[in-house]
Amino acid sequence: MKRPQHQPWSVQVELTEGCNRLCPFCGLNGIRDAPGAYKFATHEVIEKTARGVAELCPRARVEFAMHGEPLMNPKAAELLRLFRSYVPAAQMQVTTNGRVWLRGAAKVVTQGKKPGFGAVDKTAAHMAKGMSSLFDAGLDFIILDTYEPERRLLQRAARRVPLVDDSIRVMDFYNECIPQGVSPWHNHGRKLQRTVIVMDDIGVRDGEHKSRTLANHAGHNPQLGSIPHPLAKRCTMPFREITVAWNGAVNLCCHDWAHEATLGNVLERTLAEIWHGPEFTAFRRMLNAKTREFGPCTRCDYNGGGRQGLLPDVGEYMPSDRKVIRQVLEDSK
């Protein structure tokens, strides 16, 4: 029996393209030469995306992250509340580096000084207030993805957040989540709410856990760069996840930082039309055939994902699919 293409298991939505820091391993280096230069998702993009998710995959795991710091969007809480109004059953989470909550302590950290208890408590108060507003807007998880030099201050402050707001639960990914089998990348069906998961610097702990391994972001990570030859591997990404950029563009996957393969736009077509459309189908057939001969896939080092034997039956990779893919790449320039 053939397995048809199922709905996405997860959705990534970009509130902001651009970041308030520029980590040396980040794909932003491939499309930016400095922090900032923000591009923000609008009310229209978020509403169209939310409507699409409600139609296509209303119980999916929705993560607000992608190619920048989402909380730099000045309307982040408002947009999250709007999104939640359309998908009451979806698991919603945001991944943030937490710098928006440093306030005055940022100068102490960047000068290399050890923050005192005052700086920790002030940061904890800012964090508690900011986190509470996001949870009130409809989030279930906040992933606090910390980096040097502010990492230690953010982690110390996060541990004190429940003292300020005891409705918020804080867990360390390596020390608590892994032993307890809790992962923000599983779909918990909203059984866990108001939970903060603290992530340690992936640049320091790269590869310690399979979900925390640096990728080359299709060649945009300057530390890893491009691979010499395309991998002869399947890729499950476009079978299981759909991504929506700040401008409504639905790219092949989250590794497509430069928008090389844009398969549609939520301002022009519904998510369902894009997900089941000929563009996605052509790329799926290519990747299912263990070839990565076009676009960002040729430079990508992503290992392909798990449970590949459960992928849908998409048919053979045909010359007509190559034509569709070439047209997508041409239109995306």
Side-chain angles (χ1 to χ4, degrees):
M1 179 182 296
K2 288 189 175 183
R3 292 186 298 275
Q5 176 60 49
H6 49 67
Q7 64 186 20
W9 294 355
S10 62
V11 181
Q12 285 207 52
V13 182
E14 186 175 78
L15 291 180
T16 306
E17 182 187 277
C19 193
N20 50 8
R21 60 179 359 266
L22 198 61
C23 300
F25 50 79
C26 181
L28 269 176
N29 290 280
I31 57 176
R32 295 279 192 281
D33 55 10
Y38 301 112
K39 297 176 181 178
F40 300 127
T42 63
H43 184 285
E44 183 182 16
V45 166
I46 294 303
E47 185 166 31
K48 288 285 181 66
T49 303
R51 285 179 181 271
V53 173
E55 175 191 1
L56 179 63
C57 49
R59 295 182 178 274
R61 176 181 61 83
V62 182
E63 181 176 6
F64 298 88
M66 290 237 289
H67 309 140
E69 168 50 49
L71 299 189
M72 291 306 296
N73 190 317
K75 297 182 178 180
E78 173 187 333
L79 296 175
L80 293 172
R81 191 180 302 277
L82 171 66
F83 206 101
R84 171 58 77 196
S85 69
Y86 284 95
V87 287
Q91 176 178 309
M92 283 177 37
Q93 57 202 69
V94 69
T95 298
T96 174
N97 62 33
R99 294 198 78 183
V100 294
W101 296 317
L102 284 178
R103 302 289 178 91
K107 187 174 182 180
V108 174
V109 173
T110 55
Q111 290 176 345
K113 299 177 182 178
K114 184 178 180 180
F117 289 112
V120 173
D121 286 344
K122 285 183 180 179
T123 301
H126 292 317
M127 291 173 74
K129 183 177 180 180
M131 290 174 174
S132 183
S133 68
L134 297 177
F135 287 134
D136 291 346
L139 280 186
D140 300 308
F141 283 95
I142 294 174
I143 304 171
L144 183 60
D145 205 0
T146 63
Y147 301 95
E148 299 292 358
E150 66 270 18
R151 175 180 65 89
R152 292 181 182 176
L153 170 57
L154 288 169
Q155 293 191 7
R156 288 176 63 192
R159 286 194 290 269
R160 297 185 66 80
V161 162
L163 299 177
V164 182
D165 185 340
D166 59 8
S167 72
I168 297 175
R169 179 189 187 190
V170 177
M171 302 179 71
D172 181 90
F173 178 74
Y174 289 95
N175 298 328
E176 297 175 87
C177 294
I178 294 176
Q180 295 182 35
V182 175
S183 170
W185 295 293
H186 294 163
N187 193 334
H188 300 277
R190 303 211 69 195
K191 293 178 182 177
L192 294 176
Q193 296 182 21
R194 300 184 76 88
T195 299
V196 178
I197 295 182
V198 179
M199 295 283 185
D200 212 345
D201 191 335
I202 191 174
V204 176
R205 305 189 71 164
D206 175 28
E208 287 188 32
H209 191 267
K210 63 182 180 180
S211 64
R212 296 287 285 168
T213 301
L214 285 173
N216 77 343
H217 297 156
H220 293 292
N221 175 346
Q223 289 190 341
L224 298 179
S226 297
I227 53 179
H229 305 287
L231 298 180
K233 286 187 174 183
R234 286 191 180 94
C235 179
T236 66
M237 195 77 76
F239 290 87
R240 295 173 178 167
E241 181 174 88
I242 193 167
T243 65
V244 182
W246 67 276
N247 60 354
V250 177
N251 298 320
L252 180 59
C253 77
C254 62
H255 292 295
D256 185 11
W257 289 69
H259 296 228
E260 293 179 65
T262 299
L263 311 186
N265 193 296
V266 298
L267 299 179
E268 301 167 356
R269 296 160 64 192
T270 68
L271 271 187
E273 289 170 341
I274 298 170
W275 180 250
H276 294 292
E279 299 88 354
F280 252 120
T281 299
F283 274 100
R284 288 182 188 123
R285 286 175 175 164
M286 180 187 81
L287 292 168
N288 193 52
K290 297 184 179 181
T291 180
R292 302 187 183 190
E293 61 181 353
F294 287 115
C297 306
T298 62
R299 303 183 305 277
C300 183
D301 68 350
Y302 180 62
N303 67 7
R307 300 186 179 182
Q308 296 191 6
L310 299 179
L311 291 180
D313 297 309
V314 291
E316 294 185 9
Y317 184 38
M318 306 290 288
S320 58
D321 295 315
R322 294 186 178 92
K323 184 177 180 180
V324 170
I325 292 173
R326 288 193 183 99
Q327 189 62 55
V328 166
L329 299 177
E330 182 63 29
D331 293 344
S332 300
K333 290 180 179 179

